[in-house]
C-alpha cells in the first residue's frame, strides 16, 4: 500500500507506542479488561495514524518516557538492585565488566520497559519480578548466547521487558525472581 497517494502508512513504532500506552493505562487501573481488549484490538488492526489516534487520545502519556538513561563502564561492574527507579528506556554499555539488573524489588512505573545492552566481553543478568515477561528476539549474541527463563509474550497487567543489543563475546541470562 505504500506509494498510494494520500495513504498514511502506520509506523511500527507508533503502533508499539500505542499498545504500550494502553497496557500502561490498564496496569495503572485506568482501563478495565474489556476496554483493554477493545483498545488493543483497535491498535493492532489500525492501518493509519488516524485510526490509531482515538485509541490513545484520552490516555495520559509522558513524553519524558522516551528519554534513554545510559550507563557505561569499561572494566567495572554495573549493578542495580533493591529499590531503584527503573526508566522507560535503559542503555547499558560495558567493555569487560558484568551487568546485574535486578528488577524484582525496583520501582517500575511503566507497563513495558526497553533495555539495550552493548557488551563486548561481559556477561549480563536480568532478574524480573514474578509474573513479568521478556522478549530477547532483538539481541544479537556472538560467542555465547541468550538464556531467557521468563515468558516471552506480554500479559495484560504485568511488566514486559523488551531487550535488544549486541553481545560480542558475552552472555545474557534473564530469569524471574525466586521469591
Amino acid at each position: 500500500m505504500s506509494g498510494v497517494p494520500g495513504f498514511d502508512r502506520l509506523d511500527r513504532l507508533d503502533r508499539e507506542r500505542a499498545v504500550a500506552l494502553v497496557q500502561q493505562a490498564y496496569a495503572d487501573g485506568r482501563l478495565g479488561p474489556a476496554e483493554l481488549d477493545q483498545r488493543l484490538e483497535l491498535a493492532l488492526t489500525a492501518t493509519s495514524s488516524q485510526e490509531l489516534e482515538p485509541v490513545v487520545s484520552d490516555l495520559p502519556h509522558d513524553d519524558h518516557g522516551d528519554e534513554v538513561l545510559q550507563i557505561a563502564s569499561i572494566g567495572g561492574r554495573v549493578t542495580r538492585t533493591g529499590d531503584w527507579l527503573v526508566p522507560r528506556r535503559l542503555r547499558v554499555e560495558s567493555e569487560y565488566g558484568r551487568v546485574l539488573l535486578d528488577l524484582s524489588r525496583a520501582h517500575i512505573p511503566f507497563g513495558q520497559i526497553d533495555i539495550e545492552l552493548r557488551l563486548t566481553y561481559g556477561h549480563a543478568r536480568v532478574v524480573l519480578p514474578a509474573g513479568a515477561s521478556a522478549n530477547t528476539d532483538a539481541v544479537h549474541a556472538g560467542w555465547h548466547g541468550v538464556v531467557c527463563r521468563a515468558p516471552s509474550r506480554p500479559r495484560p497487567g504485568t511488566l514486559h521487558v523488551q531487550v535488544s543489543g549486541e553481545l560480542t563475546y558475552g552472555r545474557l541470562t534473564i530469569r524471574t525472581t525466586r521469591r
Side-chain angles (χ1 to χ4, degrees):
M1 286 197 232
S2 62
V4 176
F7 181 74
D8 177 22
R9 206 176 95 175
L10 184 61
D11 186 278
R12 179 181 61 87
L13 292 176
D14 290 339
R15 184 186 313 275
E16 289 176 1
R17 190 172 295 120
V19 168
L21 283 172
V22 170
Q23 290 173 330
Q24 183 62 48
Y26 176 74
D28 292 343
R30 289 186 172 92
L31 302 177
E35 191 170 2
L36 169 74
D37 290 342
Q38 178 186 19
R39 288 186 189 223
L40 285 177
E41 181 179 348
L42 290 171
L44 294 172
T45 59
T47 58
S48 70
S49 58
Q50 286 83 14
E51 290 178 12
L52 195 58
E53 180 61 29
V55 175
V56 296
S57 63
D58 64 331
L59 299 178
H61 55 281
D62 180 10
D63 291 335
H64 298 293
D66 285 335
E67 293 177 10
V68 178
L69 174 65
Q70 184 164 329
I71 302 171
S73 173
I74 293 176
R77 291 177 181 232
V78 174
T79 303
R80 297 292 184 272
T81 62
D83 185 15
W84 63 289
L85 178 62
V86 179
R88 166 76 179 85
R89 296 181 59 203
L90 177 65
R91 179 180 300 134
V92 180
E93 297 181 14
S94 178
E95 289 287 324
Y96 298 99
R98 291 180 179 244
V99 174
L100 169 60
L101 301 174
D102 186 346
L103 308 176
S104 64
R105 291 180 295 172
H107 175 68
I108 307 169
F110 307 100
Q112 176 177 323
I113 62 170
D114 298 321
I115 299 174
E116 180 183 352
L117 298 171
R118 298 282 172 200
L119 308 177
T120 304
Y121 292 100
H123 300 292
R125 184 169 37 134
V126 179
V127 181
L128 304 175
S133 58
N135 184 303
T136 59
D137 291 345
V139 176
H140 303 283
W143 191 258
H144 290 287
V146 176
V147 176
C148 183
R149 295 187 178 105
S152 62
R153 290 185 313 139
R155 291 179 283 196
T158 63
L159 173 67
H160 181 69
V161 179
Q162 186 68 42
V163 185
S164 63
E166 183 87 26
L167 290 83
T168 309
Y169 297 101
R171 171 183 28 227
L172 170 63
T173 305
I174 299 176
R175 66 171 177 83
T176 55
T177 187
R178 293 188 176 128
R179 282 179 246 135

